[in-house]
Each structure stands twice: as structure tokens, then as C-alpha cells.
Amino acid sequence: MIRRDTATKPEIAAALQLSLPTVGLIVGELLEAGLLCEIGMQASNGGRPAIALQLIENARLSLGIDITKNHVYFVVVNLRGEIIAGERQEYEFANLLTYYHGLVQRKREFLKKYGIENDSLVGQSCSMPGIVSKNQRWLEYSHIFELKTPMRLNISKDIQYPYMFVNDGTACCMAECYSENMPDSFVYVMLSNTVGGSMVIDKKIVEGKNIRGGEIGHICLVPGGKKCYCGRRGHFDAYCSARVLAEQAGGRVETFFARLEEGDSRLAEVFDEYLDMLALMVYNLHIFTDLDIVIGGYVGSYLAPYLSQLKEKIIRHNIFDESKEFVFLSRYREEAAAVGGALHFIEQFIEKL
Ligand SMILES: [Zn+2]
């Protein structure tokens, strides 16, 4: 229903295997709640014409905020999961009250600018590069934010809707989970300024015993190799974060890929090494899980022209002869974490209906 433009009561009854009176009751409630509208008559299968119903997609909205070291992203999605407002702002993280107040102020201005009323929000997600405690009160660990001790997570008192704090890799993975045509189980690899990931089994993200599941950035690929931001050596992050490429092109990933496309041979060499390490990691994840691997994040959004090159490198590792594709690219770009968190509340809202 949500994914279709219009539907009639008999169509809904057939799709959901419910009786017509039950559907009538549900539709009545949704009409009253302002979530559906009637848009005329529609011929139904063999029977008499029925009233065509349409979802009012912007009747309820969800806000996703993604905090990175230097930026903050605000995204609002509607009931169809479409992004109706989004902004990336430069705002350097600091573990200070002034940062937090500034963030709340920016959020208010963003919502005001796009005419989004608090009443229409069904939830707010806030993603960040670190481990969020199970009780949602603490950011327990974040190297990128240089936290020495856990950071207390605050939420402004005027928030009347559900909210959550979530790890950025997990939030990106949520965006994939809620996409159409995704398998029930897969592994997500996020190649952004830090490297993260998640494993989804039967539509559920595997959080792990300490909510650290999917910290693939710190899997060691080269003992004693390049230094990772965590202080150890040879970790996947040190070889495949977006910064590895950005450093070669004045700090910008987009510049790196623009020059690569122009045929810069030095960057081609850097990128070949990058793909070698990525291929090794993708292979390791696949051989362990036997699942599809979805690559996203900053770098993921630039990989489409190089996917066959990456696959060739993976094949060289593979001990099995696999004819089926198992490496895919995310449809999202840098807004993925904000979108994923926001979609979480849209799905929750729809499920409740
Ligand atoms: Zn590390």
C-alpha cells in the first residue's frame, strides 16, 4: 500500500488477506488520522468501481541527524521513505555544551526553513561514529571524537516524539534494510571517513554482546602495517577509509575520483592498491558469512565505474567458483546514516498502523 500510488479497499483486503469490513475499519481510522485521502473511483477486478485511496505521504515525517567530526547532516523523510529535505552543514564536533546548544539551534532552523512542524514528526535519529550504550545514555567509545571517557548523550526536553542514538555504520545499514529488493541477510561495508559495517541476519542487525558488532574497520589485514586511527597497525580502516583517497587529492574524495577519471597514473596506482585491500576484505567477509556484501559510504558512492575491477580482484581470492553476484553497491551517498536512522521511525510508525 505504502509503495503504491493508489489502492482500493478490495485491493488492500486481497493484498493483506483481511476481510473487507476489517479493511473498512482500518481505512476509516487512517482517513480520520489524515494519513489517507479518497481520490475518486477506480475500476476493481470484475466488481463494481471502488473508491481509490491514496497515502498522504507527507502527513508524517521523520528526522535523521548524522554527526561527523566536521559536519552535521539533517535529513527528513516522508512515509514513502523519500527524502523531502536534506542539508549538510560544516560544524566541527566538540564535547562541549556549546556544541550541543548549537546543534539544537541548527536543527530548529533547518526544520523552520523547510516548514516542518514538530507535530508531524514521528521520530528523530541521531547517528555518530562511536559505540552507543544499550540504554542510549552514553557514547561509550569514539576514537574519531577523541573521547577519553564516555560522553553523556543529551536530548532536548522539548522533544515529544521517539528518538534514538545510533552508531553511524548501523544507521547506514538500516537505510539498506529498508530499501526494496534487499535480501533478508547481508553484510554492509561503510567506506566513509571512518570504516564501519553491520551484519544483517533475517532482517535483524547483529549488535553483538557489547553492541560492537560490525566494527570491521579494526579487522587486521596486515599485521604491523599502516597505522590505524585507533593506534594499532594494519587495520582495514587504515587502508580503505575515504581519507586514504582524499589525502591524495587535496583532502577531497570527489577530486580524487575526478582526477582518476582524467587518467592520473599516480592516483590509478593508489586506487589499485586501495581496491586490492577492499577486495581482500570483501572476500574475507563473504567467505565467513556466505552472504551478499553491500558497499556504501562516501567511497561506495563513487565505485560504480570500478565495480568490475573490484570483482576481478575478489575472484582471484575466491576458492569457490561462484556464478551468482554477491557484491553490490549502496544506492545512498553520504546522507545514508541520516536517512537510515530516519527510516527506522517511518518503518516503526507504519508497523504500528
Ligand atoms: Zn583500528
Side-chain angles (χ1 to χ4, degrees):
M1 176 70 200
I2 290 293
R3 291 183 171 98
R4 288 182 52 175
D5 283 339
T6 62
T8 62
K9 284 183 204 171
E11 284 172 346
I12 298 169
L16 301 178
Q17 293 185 322
L18 293 171
S19 72
L20 254 180
T22 307
V23 171
L25 273 176
I26 296 169
V27 165
E29 278 177 27
L30 296 179
L31 284 167
E32 205 167 307
L35 295 167
L36 284 182
C37 62
E38 296 174 342
I39 56 153
M41 305 301 276
Q42 188 177 302
S44 65
N45 292 349
R48 55 201 170 91
I51 296 167
L53 299 155
Q54 191 173 45
L55 177 79
I56 303 175
E57 59 233 28
N58 292 350
R60 298 289 188 280
L61 304 166
S62 175
L63 172 67
I65 304 171
D66 181 42
I67 298 174
T68 72
K69 193 167 192 276
N70 297 310
H71 295 92
V72 57
Y73 293 80
F74 295 104
V75 163
V76 171
V77 300
N78 67 14
L79 288 172
R80 276 190 208 276
E82 297 160 340
I83 299 170
I84 63 154
E87 238 173 56
R88 177 191 198 224
Q89 299 179 5
E90 266 184 39
Y91 189 44
E92 197 179 346
F93 174 82
N95 187 10
L96 296 169
L97 213 54
T98 48
Y99 173 86
Y100 170 72
H101 289 316
L103 187 67
V104 172
Q105 187 57 28
R106 280 165 187 260
K107 181 191 106 173
R108 285 195 189 127
E109 282 164 13
F110 168 77
L111 293 176
K112 197 173 163 201
K113 182 176 166 186
Y114 290 94
I116 291 152
E117 303 284 343
N118 273 327
D119 293 351
S120 65
L121 292 174
V122 295
Q124 170 187 309
S125 143
C126 189
S127 48
M128 51 194 86
I131 310 291
V132 175
S133 69
K134 218 166 192 164
N135 64 12
Q136 296 273 298
R137 295 218 178 109
W138 303 94
L139 182 62
E140 289 189 333
Y141 167 97
S142 174
H143 261 286
I144 221 78
F145 284 173
E146 295 168 15
L147 296 183
K148 303 270 187 289
T149 53
M151 181 180 88
R152 174 98 191 164
L153 295 168
N154 294 304
I155 192 83
S156 110
K157 289 188 183 72
D158 59 352
I159 287 193
Q160 302 296 320
Y161 37 81
Y163 62 87
M164 71 166 176
F165 296 99
V166 60
N167 168 264
D168 55 354
T170 306
C172 287
C173 186
M174 285 174 172
E176 303 302 328
C177 289
Y178 300 135
S179 292
E180 277 181 79
N181 308 322
M182 282 303 286
D184 290 350
S185 304
F186 62 94
V187 174
Y188 178 76
V189 177
M190 180 192 75
L191 304 173
S192 288
N193 283 334
T194 52
V195 173
S198 266
M199 181 157 74
V200 176
I201 303 288
D202 293 334
K203 292 188 182 291
K204 280 195 89 172
I205 292 175
V206 179
E207 290 185 325
K209 202 171 152 188
N210 303 292
I211 327 289
R212 292 179 205 150
E215 279 292 308
I216 57 172
H218 305 289
I219 285 178
C220 187
L221 290 179
V222 187
K226 271 173 79 176
K227 198 165 181 187
C228 179
Y229 70 87
C230 71
R232 306 288 172 97
R233 289 192 172 273
H235 292 180
F236 180 41
D237 191 293
Y239 294 90
C240 286
S241 81
R243 289 175 301 158
V244 171
L245 303 180
E247 274 165 15
Q248 303 289 330
R252 295 178 68 88
V253 173
E254 45 270 62
T255 312
F256 180 92
F257 281 100
R259 289 194 198 149
L260 185 67
E261 208 177 302
E262 285 163 12
D264 187 313
S265 58
R266 187 183 65 84
L267 294 192
E269 220 171 280
V270 170
F271 191 57
D272 195 57
E273 278 171 31
Y274 180 95
L275 287 183
D276 279 340
M277 298 311 272
L278 180 58
L280 179 59
M281 189 65 192
V282 168
Y283 169 72
N284 286 345
L285 292 171
H286 178 67
I287 199 78
F288 174 56
T289 61
D290 191 24
L291 294 175
D292 285 344
I293 313 291
V294 179
I295 304 173
Y298 232 3
V299 177
S301 64
Y302 287 94
L303 285 184
Y306 312 99
L307 191 58
S308 54
Q309 201 180 333
L310 175 67
K311 284 178 180 173
E312 271 170 36
K313 288 177 186 287
I314 296 167
I315 288 168
R316 279 183 228 153
H317 292 291
N318 207 348
I319 55 165
F320 298 112
D321 199 7
E322 290 197 51
S323 54
K324 272 194 180 170
E325 298 286 351
F326 61 86
V327 185
F328 300 93
L329 297 179
S330 164
R331 69 169 77 178
Y332 294 101
R333 296 180 73 99
E334 54 197 15
E335 74 286 0
V339 173
L343 284 176
H344 169 78
F345 288 107
I346 292 290
E347 287 290 320
Q348 230 181 35
F349 181 74
I350 290 170
E351 234 167 68
K352 260 195 234 159
L353 290 180

